Amino acid sequence: MQFFIATVKRAGFGLVLLVAVLALNFVLMHIAPGDVADTIAQDAGGLDAEVMEQIRIDYGLDLPLWQQMAKYFWGVAQLDLGYSFYYNEPVTKLILEKLPATLLLVISAQVLSIFLGVMLGVMAARKPTGMTSHFVTVLSLVGYAAPVFWTGIMLIILFAVMVPIFPIGSMVDVSVEREGIAYAMDVLRHLVLPAVTLGSIFLALYSRLSRASMLDVLGSDYVRTAQAKGLSEFQVVYKHALRNALLPVVTTVGLVMSGIVSGAVLVETVFSWPGLGTLAVQSIIARDTPTILGILFFSSLVVVVANLLTDMVYRIIDPRIKTSGGSNL
Amino acid sequence: MTENLEERGFGQKEMGFVQVEHPFKETVRMFATNYAAVAGFVVLVIVILVSFLGPFIYTTDPWEMVWSPFSPPGAKGFLLGTDYLGRDLVAQIIHGGRATIAVGCAAALLSVLIGITFGALSGFYRGWVEEVLMRITEFFQVLPTLLFSMVLVALFGASLAMITFAIGIVSWTGVARVTRAEFLKIRELEYVTASRSGGAKAPTLIFRVILPNALPPIVVQSALLVGFAILFEAGLSFLGLSDPDVMSWGAMMGNNRPFILQHAFTIMYPGLAIFITVLAISLVGDGLNDALNPKLRKR
């Protein structure tokens, strides 16, 4: 029950944050130079003032600001994020088409970096002066300092151009029709390099974090008790210590979520991965304001949901947390 | 008692009468014993010197076509080759460093100022002030940073000032968190209570009493922020959102983006420049962290 209440509270706060993002979107739309009428006029190669006035009336731009805002909010509540004049499609439809690709990339990168990072961190913590430990230190410095898109390009040059193991970009090979398992394997082959690239930023972070927290936990009394009981080292490390050592990692997953979305924009651009990031960059170039603001809202939604999920996972791993709120700060 | 101990052969040091080293000197000494940090510092100084003095020595115009496009490194005396417009890459790297470093520092400064303001006020006043400010901080944590900066730059123009603002406005939440945590800790200490009962007003308490003592972790965070801001600027430029009138390492990569597969070197070198600079900054930041928290040195 406590779990349920806390989750509902977090969800409520997430909703407030999303409304704030919408308000920000609305403000941006209105202080940005140019409006819908200008965009249409530009598309049509110029319109006379009367027609533009009619367009403004059609789109409700003559209404008082608060009515426009209410209209915008009401629209979003019905999943209507506006209309893209560049793509000639509703923004929501555009985004929902691209969302699965981005989710696939982000989730695989996360799973990869958490799994490898924790493994490296634990290995390093068991021998704090060993090779793995030094490797983790170097990795965390290098992983942080290299621009992620640059890492991606270098990986393409290495593993797609010089040694062509993986395809250069995109998500599927369009030259061959595939179905079922063959299709999935093809996507997987295309996914490897982008996921590794995006994961590289966070691999360093997770390995460093889990190394530090594992070192902490391994020095605690209950671990010594477990060792004294005569449990094997494997059991001590992976059954007793790991669970507590994971806590800071879980917290961090929530915290870096918006960074992951940012990284995804760059990685998608490098690998022409057909997701939200590529769409965002294209609509920035095309000055397609409704689409770009829609993407901003949707990615905030993704971050909020991911935060909510990490919060729930945290409560499951560590039942001691009973306070409401459970802020990430 | 004292005489007794001296008779027994205890020097001043053993009795605790140590000449206390000035904290700044201690920090410098600790920093100097960390080879990685010193190496980072040296590299950083070189990068800054080359970027700010280099253009006066290596005077080839980074904007001018000097040879055929995409000449490979070494051809015709151009050490790193030429870019898609036949411009000298060495000149671009030397001239581009200035804008990259300037944007990085300015954006970091902006976010440090915002972060300290948010963190200090919420940590000092607690109550509803803290509630409101921390909610705003959480809002900025949820906002996908790069996307928001892209929107700002795209809507209001890709000038150097706008880019700096767009980076600074999204990267301050870490500083705010650190500052708040320090303020929460320090505000309960006795010397703060003493100043308070001595009649010190809020501004004095915040700026003269608590902030100077809260600075060490904030300094470390700020140093790392410069590196973050440089990476961020590179990301924006790579996506084509750079000031077209300014040469920077990020802009070099953005310009040559369409040709990465055929001419990777045009992107590899500016990327390396960024990598080395940010790596040096991280090493200095880590060194500062160790030097300012002697207790943590062991890890």
Side-chain angles (χ1 to χ4, degrees):
Chain A
M1 195 58 202
Q2 196 114 39
F3 181 83
F4 180 71
I5 292 172
T7 307
V8 168
K9 267 190 182 166
R10 285 299 293 168
F13 180 58
L15 211 61
V16 173
L17 284 180
L18 287 177
V19 170
V21 173
L22 277 183
L24 180 73
N25 270 356
F26 184 78
V27 170
L28 283 175
M29 234 184 311
H30 277 264
I31 55 176
D35 60 9
V36 181
D38 293 318
T39 317
I40 296 177
Q42 211 174 10
D43 263 8
L47 292 173
D48 50 306
E50 243 172 74
V51 181
M52 282 178 68
E53 209 45 54
Q54 189 54 47
I55 293 171
R56 291 205 171 95
I57 293 171
D58 285 349
Y59 280 91
L61 294 182
D62 57 332
L63 297 171
L65 266 188
W66 69 268
Q67 278 186 22
Q68 289 187 41
M69 189 153 163
K71 222 178 113 187
Y72 178 61
F73 276 40
W74 181 237
V76 175
Q78 294 166 306
L79 285 180
D80 172 18
L81 285 165
Y83 191 82
S84 159
F85 292 96
Y86 179 71
Y87 294 99
N88 271 323
E89 268 189 81
V91 173
T92 314
K93 184 162 170 264
L94 272 172
I95 290 178
L96 288 180
E97 275 168 15
K98 305 280 183 181
L99 188 64
T102 296
L103 285 182
L104 176 67
L105 174 64
V106 165
I107 292 173
S108 7
Q110 270 302 329
V111 170
L112 189 76
S113 57
I114 292 175
F115 185 73
L116 279 180
V118 169
M119 217 171 68
L120 276 176
V122 170
M123 274 158 64
R126 287 170 67 181
K127 292 199 181 95
T129 52
M131 279 302 287
T132 323
S133 203
H134 291 302
F135 177 69
V136 167
T137 312
V138 171
L139 182 79
S140 63
L141 281 167
V142 170
Y144 176 76
V148 61
F149 56 92
W150 185 74
T151 314
I153 293 170
M154 295 300 122
L155 285 179
I156 291 184
I157 300 298
L158 275 177
F159 296 110
V161 178
M162 287 167 73
V163 188
I165 313 173
F166 296 110
I168 284 167
S170 166
M171 193 166 131
V172 283
D173 185 356
V174 281
S175 60
V176 191
E177 284 254 1
R178 289 190 176 87
E179 269 177 13
I181 293 174
Y183 178 82
M185 288 309 289
D186 191 39
V187 171
L188 196 65
R189 226 165 57 86
H190 283 80
L191 178 65
V192 173
L193 286 185
V196 168
T197 307
L198 185 55
S200 74
I201 332 173
F202 303 100
L203 172 65
L205 180 70
Y206 293 140
S207 59
R208 188 143 102 158
L209 255 178
S210 52
R211 174 176 175 271
S213 69
M214 196 69 186
L215 273 176
D216 248 6
V217 173
L218 284 180
S220 62
D221 285 340
Y222 82 92
V223 170
R224 200 170 316 130
T225 311
Q227 283 164 341
K229 281 198 300 190
L231 295 182
S232 73
E233 197 183 343
F234 181 87
Q235 274 187 311
V236 173
V237 172
Y238 290 95
K239 287 211 166 144
H240 288 70
L242 188 61
R243 189 173 168 142
N244 272 325
L246 273 181
L247 292 177
V249 177
V250 175
T251 318
T252 313
V253 174
L255 270 180
V256 298
M257 210 46 220
S258 87
I260 295 167
V261 173
S262 300
V265 175
L266 290 165
V267 172
E268 284 183 11
T269 307
V270 171
F271 290 93
S272 349
W273 188 260
L276 282 185
T278 321
L279 182 67
V281 174
Q282 281 165 355
S283 43
I284 287 266
I285 294 167
R287 308 211 148 267
D288 185 3
T289 315
T291 308
I292 181 71
L293 290 181
I295 295 173
L296 188 65
F297 172 74
F298 240 84
S299 354
S300 313
L301 180 72
V302 169
V303 175
V304 166
V305 171
N307 264 311
L308 203 60
L309 289 178
T310 43
D311 200 63
M312 283 163 72
V313 171
Y314 197 96
R315 276 166 211 283
I316 293 168
I317 299 186
D318 188 359
R320 287 172 300 182
I321 305 288
K322 288 224 171 100
T323 46
S324 64
S327 156
N328 271 325
L329 293 174
Chain B
M1 176 75 182
T2 313
E3 284 158 33
N4 225 343
L5 284 169
E6 268 174 34
E7 275 166 26
R8 282 197 244 150
F10 283 92
Q12 278 200 322
K13 204 171 178 182
E14 283 81 356
M15 288 188 296
F17 297 130
V18 195
Q19 186 87 47
V20 176
E21 201 177 12
H22 189 276
F24 180 72
K25 272 190 191 163
E26 191 195 8
T27 307
V28 172
R29 188 173 54 78
M30 302 273 292
F31 189 85
T33 55
N34 185 336
Y35 296 128
V38 172
F41 183 72
V42 171
V43 171
L44 201 58
V45 169
I46 293 173
V47 169
I48 291 171
L49 282 181
V50 169
S51 306
F52 284 83
L53 299 180
F56 298 107
I57 298 161
Y58 193 93
T59 46
T60 308
D61 187 348
W63 299 97
E64 206 180 335
M65 182 168 179
V66 290
W67 192 239
S68 56
F70 298 122
S71 306
K76 203 55 181 160
F78 295 113
L79 199 59
L80 301 181
T82 56
D83 77 346
Y84 77 114
L85 289 178
R87 303 178 294 192
D88 184 7
L89 282 179
V90 176
Q92 294 195 348
I93 287 200
I94 291 177
H95 288 252
R98 192 159 34 177
T100 304
I101 294 170
V103 169
C105 291
L109 186 70
L110 176 64
S111 49
V112 167
L113 288 181
I114 304 176
I116 287 186
T117 310
F118 269 66
L121 291 181
S122 58
F124 183 79
Y125 285 110
R126 311 291 317 266
W128 67 268
V129 178
E130 185 183 26
E131 190 69 22
V132 171
L133 293 182
M134 282 298 117
R135 291 307 174 207
I136 297 177
T137 311
E138 265 190 66
F139 171 71
F140 274 91
Q141 271 175 353
V142 165
L143 212 57
T145 46
L146 185 65
L147 276 174
F148 183 55
S149 301
M150 282 164 66
V151 171
L152 285 182
V153 175
L155 290 183
F156 302 105
S159 66
L160 216 51
M162 195 62 224
I163 292 170
T164 307
F165 175 77
I167 300 172
I169 196 75
V170 295
S171 28
W172 53 269
T173 53
V175 178
R177 280 209 315 274
V178 169
T179 311
R180 171 170 164 270
E182 285 300 301
F183 265 68
L184 286 178
K185 201 167 70 193
I186 295 174
R187 75 193 291 272
E188 308 295 339
L189 296 182
E190 275 165 6
Y191 62 80
V192 178
T193 318
S195 317
R196 203 190 285 269
S197 56
K201 296 263 181 355
T204 317
L205 283 172
I206 293 176
F207 291 108
R208 308 282 304 266
V209 182
I210 305 182
L211 190 58
N213 291 292
L215 274 182
I218 300 176
V219 168
V220 174
Q221 191 82 16
S222 318
L224 295 176
L225 255 183
V226 177
F228 177 79
I230 289 178
L231 290 174
F232 208 113
E233 191 269 341
L236 282 176
S237 305
F238 180 72
L239 298 175
L241 295 167
S242 61
D243 190 330
D245 301 326
V246 179
M247 184 57 72
S248 75
W249 294 336
M252 290 172 71
M253 293 197 270
N255 291 337
N256 292 299
R257 175 157 70 101
F259 319 103
I260 44 177
L261 291 180
Q262 298 82 25
H263 309 284
F265 66 93
T266 51
I267 290 204
M268 194 170 91
Y269 295 125
L272 264 181
I274 289 178
F275 174 67
I276 291 170
T277 309
V278 177
L279 186 64
I281 293 174
S282 313
L283 288 174
V284 170
D286 280 357
L288 276 178
N289 192 27
D290 292 355
L292 291 169
N293 298 299
K295 276 176 235 152
L296 292 175
R297 243 180 325 147
K298 287 279 151 54
R299 190 151 291 160

